């Protein structure tokens, strides 16, 4: 359809039908679903009538091609004008083939693989009937207590933005209309959802507009610049107003300043939640504020369908606001080709062929290995094929390695650690004990683990968090491993045998009791369907670890939030003239994180030459280049992630000590050297000033190049204007 035909369709619609398009309901409400429209519990109390379901414009949570086709068929017959449903779902890090959680993927620093992973997720979702995914989540995160850090790309605005672009490209492709293997992306959560006070989900966010523009908004903008079709509102407040009813944020910034004309959807229940937030007295006022702010789709509450018609009749809401919202929804349906082909790429037969194919699983294995980060290795890795290994821990034979937001994945078909190790060594070399549960343990379990370990050459511990310990509403005040697992580690260290710890978790942890007690630590995160196979590849050296942290691991939860791109303060602890006491410091712990942004070990080693600049200055017209020579000084081939940081020495407002501005992956054989060159332009030196204007200042800067944010070589330069 062209715009004129869509406008004609809009004119045919009654006000009730228009408002219905703004309603998103879960699958059970629809008679074509596997629930056949039979709802119970809280959903039954929503007062949803058959007419509302027939008029509704979208559905979430449908699973599988057969159900998607049936829901759409029944709906098309029931809807007076035959307007198809948009079928949406949370496809975060895989559909059936589950990839590592997004925080892990970001630790690969591999944008191409990241894009390929969500391309596969889109392909599996699309053939199963999904049109829109609620991804990517690009919320900047600095507090590991917050459970949803696992869904992010970490603490750096630049890296977050690069992954936002890659994920949108992977989901949507180059031609969303004609490429039926792709799905529309919905960037979330707009805005600043990743900065809740206390690391507690749904909690207050309170920051200056300058800080939000400088650090938190760039990744959303990057996703939109890449063509992302939808935006989801955040649950939190922004400058004292919940995002879902925040006209300044949604109309003035998103619509007017950024010229976004796509669909804006609330998060689950967020429109009605303006009442407990305290900015709406009732559902009618919540509906008024949401439509005024520009929210097109209300997810799973009934403020719009119950009150917009009366608000229009009372002339409190202009019907043109509703028309604008409906037209945006119709345009997305048209872009997806749903008016001509309401089932789009849905295909029951192809679904069986495509989902969990060998090609998809192989990429999941590759990405899981690249996403893991080697945090410590005192010469005990890689393992030898003839070593007798005691595999101990609650994740030794546990399929709970998919992580949160893997609702279509199967823990039963996930490759467990034990299964992965048996691919590399004879089962006779491998003995297993659980040792403890994830957060419980018995004396008998502990005794069995010690007994098994006594006969081994080396102990491999499989430790971590239950998947419910992170993700949405998975916030933790104490971020060490559960006490039962720390007791297991302590008991096994008494045997004085080499110990390798493999960690499964969705957040940076306080690793005391593990990293100081064991000889090697491999951070596997929640690695997905092929996790056990990827871990075996790494432990036995068939793949050399190359991942680097994208979120700092705190020394203590008392430091949180702790991040590399912080400010210096007026009394920095490491200043040449610093006093012993009256400086910015803790009395009982270091200022620095235990493991910083950009850190990650390899089975080989790399050296860096001094930094060379093409010029000592740059101008607005003339950039400069930064070059280092990187050498593999070890005995095996490896990949190094070379990182470029910049510091603005003196600016109008305080600037970070370092900011990531570029990175490159370099593959090197033993003894091989390569020159790595970055270009620095004036544009990379811009920042938001006190008046919120975005531009650069002339003056002094420092370029840093190295293997981690705390391990760099430096060279000064100037910006001349």
């Amino acid at each position: 359809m062209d715009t004129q035909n869509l406008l004609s369709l809009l004119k045919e619609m009654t006000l009730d039908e228009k408002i219905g398009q703004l309603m998103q309901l879960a699958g059970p409400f629809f008679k074509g679903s596997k629930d056949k429209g039979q709802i119970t519990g809280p959903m039954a109390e929503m007062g949803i009538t058959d007419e509302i379901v027939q008029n509704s414009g979208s559905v979430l949570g449908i699973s599988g091609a057969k159900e998607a086709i049936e829901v759409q068929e029944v709906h098309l017959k029931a809807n007076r004008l035959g307007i198809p449903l948009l079928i949406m779902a949370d496809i975060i890090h895989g559909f059936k083939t589950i990839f590592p959680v997004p925080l892990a993927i970001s630790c690969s620093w591999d944008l191409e693989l990241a894009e390929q992973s969500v391309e596969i997720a889109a392909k599996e979702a699309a053939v199963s009937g999904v049109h829109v995914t609620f991804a990517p989540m690009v919320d900047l995160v600095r507090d590991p207590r917050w459970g949803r850090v696992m869904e992010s790309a970490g603490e750096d605005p630049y890296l977050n933005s690069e992954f936002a672009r890659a994920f949108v490209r992977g989901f949507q492709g180059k031609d969303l209309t004609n490429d039926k293997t792709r799905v529309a992306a919905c960037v979330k959560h707009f805005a600043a959802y990743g900065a809740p006070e206390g690391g507690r989900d749904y909690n207050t966010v309170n920051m200056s507009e300058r800080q939000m523009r400088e650090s938190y908004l760039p990744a959303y903008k990057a996703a939109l610049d890449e063509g992302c079709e939808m935006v989801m509102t955040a649950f939190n407040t922004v400058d004292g107003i919940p995002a879902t009813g925040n006209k300044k944020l949604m109309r003035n910034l998103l619509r007017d300043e950024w010229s976004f004309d796509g669909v804006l959807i609330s998060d689950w229940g967020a429109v009605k939640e303006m009442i407990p937030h305290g900015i709406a007295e009732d559902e009618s006022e919540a509906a008024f504020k949401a439509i005024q702010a520009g929210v097109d789709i209300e997810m799973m509450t009934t403020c719009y369908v119950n009150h917009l018609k009366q608000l229009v009749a009372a002339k409190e809401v202009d019907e043109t606001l509703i028309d604008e919202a409906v037209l945006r929804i119709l345009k997305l349906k048209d872009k997806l080709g749903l008016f001509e082909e309401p089932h789009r790429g849905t295909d029951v037969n192809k679904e069986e062929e495509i989902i969990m194919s060998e090609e998809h699983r192989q990429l999941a294995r590759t990405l899981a290995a690249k996403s893991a980060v080697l945090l410590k290795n005192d010469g005990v890795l890689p393992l030898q094929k003839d070593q007798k290994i005691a595999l101990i821990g609650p994740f030794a034979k546990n399929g709970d390695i998919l992580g949160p937001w893997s609702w279509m994945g199967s823990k039963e078909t996930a490759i467990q650690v034990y299964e992965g190790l048996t691919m590399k060594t004879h089962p006779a070399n491998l003995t297993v004990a659980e040792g403890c549960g994830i957060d419980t343990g018995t004396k008998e379990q502990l005794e069995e683990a010690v007994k098994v370990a006594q006969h081994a050459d080396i102990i491999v511990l499989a430790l971590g968090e239950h998947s419910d310990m992170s993700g949405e509403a998975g916030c933790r005040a104490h971020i060490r491993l559960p006490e039962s697992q720390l007791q297991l580690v302590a008991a096994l260290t008494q045997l004085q045998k080499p110990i390798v710890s493999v960690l499964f978790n969705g957040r940076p942890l306080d690793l005391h009791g593990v990293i100081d007690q064991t000889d090697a630590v491999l951070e596997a995160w929640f690695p997905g369907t092929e996790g056990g196979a990827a871990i075996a590849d790494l432990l036995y050296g068939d793949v050399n670890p190359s991942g680097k942290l994208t979120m700092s691991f705190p020394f203590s939860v008392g430091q949180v939030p702790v991040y590399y791109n912080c400010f210096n303060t007026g009394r920095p602890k490491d200043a040449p003239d610093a006093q012993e006491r009256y400086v910015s410091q803790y009395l009982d712990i270091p200022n620095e994180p235990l493991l910083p942004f950009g850190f990650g070990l390899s089975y080989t080693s790399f050296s860096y030459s001094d930094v060379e600049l093409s010029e000592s200055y740059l101008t607005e017209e003339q950039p400069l280049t930064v070059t280092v020579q990187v050498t593999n000084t070890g005995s095996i081939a490896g990949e190094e992630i070379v990182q470029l940081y910049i510091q603005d020495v003196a600016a109008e407002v305080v600037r970070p000590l370092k900011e990531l501005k570029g990175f490159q992956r370099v593959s090197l054989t033993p003894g091989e050297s390569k020159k790595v060159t970055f270009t620095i332009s004036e544009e990379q030196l811009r920042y938001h000033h006190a008046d919120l204007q975005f531009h650069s200042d002339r003056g002094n800067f420092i370029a840093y190049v190295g293997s981690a944010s705390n391990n760099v070589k430096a060279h000064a330069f100037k910006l001349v204007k």
Side-chain angles (χ1 to χ4, degrees), residues 271-272 274-275 280 282-291 303-304:
V271 173
K272 189 175 179 179
M274 282 191 269
I275 299 172
D282 52 29
E283 290 188 17
S284 177
E285 188 174 8
F288 172 82
K289 291 196 169 183
I291 199 70
C303 302
Y304 278 5

Side-chain angles (χ1 to χ4, degrees), residues 91-110:
I91 313 302
I92 308 303
H93 54 108
F95 185 70
K96 286 275 194 180
T97 306
I98 304 300
F99 293 88
V101 293
L103 183 61
I105 291 175
S106 71
C107 291
S108 73
W109 298 60
D110 194 320

Side-chain angles (χ1 to χ4, degrees), residues 605-609 628-633 640 642 666 668 671-676 705:
S605 55
F606 302 95
S607 67
Y608 284 69
S609 70
V628 294
Q629 182 165 284
V630 182
T631 302
N632 183 341
T633 54
E640 173 69 328
V642 184
V666 183
L668 295 167
E672 183 182 10
S673 297
K674 286 183 181 177
K675 285 192 173 182
V676 179
V705 182

Side-chain angles (χ1 to χ4, degrees), residues 85-154:
L85 286 166
L86 277 169
I87 299 175
M88 307 190 191
D90 286 286
I91 313 302
I92 308 303
H93 54 108
F95 185 70
K96 286 275 194 180
T97 306
I98 304 300
F99 293 88
V101 293
L103 183 61
I105 291 175
S106 71
C107 291
S108 73
W109 298 60
D110 194 320
L111 300 174
E112 184 177 346
L113 269 184
E115 181 177 338
Q116 290 174 18
S117 75
V118 297
E119 181 181 348
I120 286 173
K123 190 174 184 179
E124 292 190 355
V127 77
S128 301
V130 176
H131 306 142
V132 178
T133 177
F134 298 131
M137 189 193 98
V138 301
D139 303 315
L140 187 80
V141 293
R142 292 171 169 173
D143 191 332
R145 294 173 298 182
W146 190 50
R148 295 192 81 164
V149 300
M150 51 70 53
E151 208 176 333
S152 77

Side-chain angles (χ1 to χ4, degrees), residues 46 52-53 59 109 127 136 176 210 248-249 470 496 498 641 646 660:
M46 290 175 62
I52 291 173
V53 176
V59 56
W109 298 60
V127 77
L176 184 59
R210 199 192 67 78
K248 179 181 177 182
L249 182 69
S470 57
Q496 297 187 339
I641 300 168
I646 294 177
L660 183 72

Side-chain angles (χ1 to χ4, degrees), residues 368-438:
K370 281 205 170 186
S371 299
V373 184
L374 184 62
L375 303 180
K376 180 181 180 179
N377 185 21
D378 288 346
V380 298
L381 289 176
L383 301 175
Q384 304 305 308
K385 297 288 173 73
D386 58 352
Q387 281 180 305
K388 293 190 180 300
I389 297 166
L391 174 61
I392 297 172
F395 285 91
K397 286 186 172 182
N398 191 336
D400 187 20
I401 61 173
L402 304 183
W405 297 116
S406 53
W407 61 289
M408 289 297 293
S410 169
K411 295 177 183 179
E412 288 69 33
T413 58
I415 305 297
Q416 302 171 8
V417 178
Y418 174 78
E419 187 179 351
L421 295 186
T422 58
M423 298 175 182
K424 304 293 182 180
T425 188
H426 194 280
N429 293 330
L430 191 59
T431 53
V432 184
E434 187 177 30
C436 64
I438 291 176

Side-chain angles (χ1 to χ4, degrees), residues 372-384 387 458-460 498-503 511 514-523 537-547 595 599-605 634-636:
V373 184
L374 184 62
L375 303 180
K376 180 181 180 179
N377 185 21
D378 288 346
V380 298
L381 289 176
L383 301 175
Q384 304 305 308
Q387 281 180 305
I458 189 167
I459 301 166
V460 174
I499 300 176
V500 176
S501 293
V502 180
L503 301 176
L511 291 178
V514 178
I515 199 165
D516 50 337
Q517 298 293 319
T518 60
D519 302 282
V521 179
L522 179 68
E523 176 55 84
D537 289 339
L538 291 162
L539 293 181
Y540 279 95
D542 296 327
V543 175
N544 191 350
S546 62
L595 300 166
F599 174 83
L601 301 175
S602 168
Y603 293 151
T604 191
S605 55
S635 58
I636 62 173

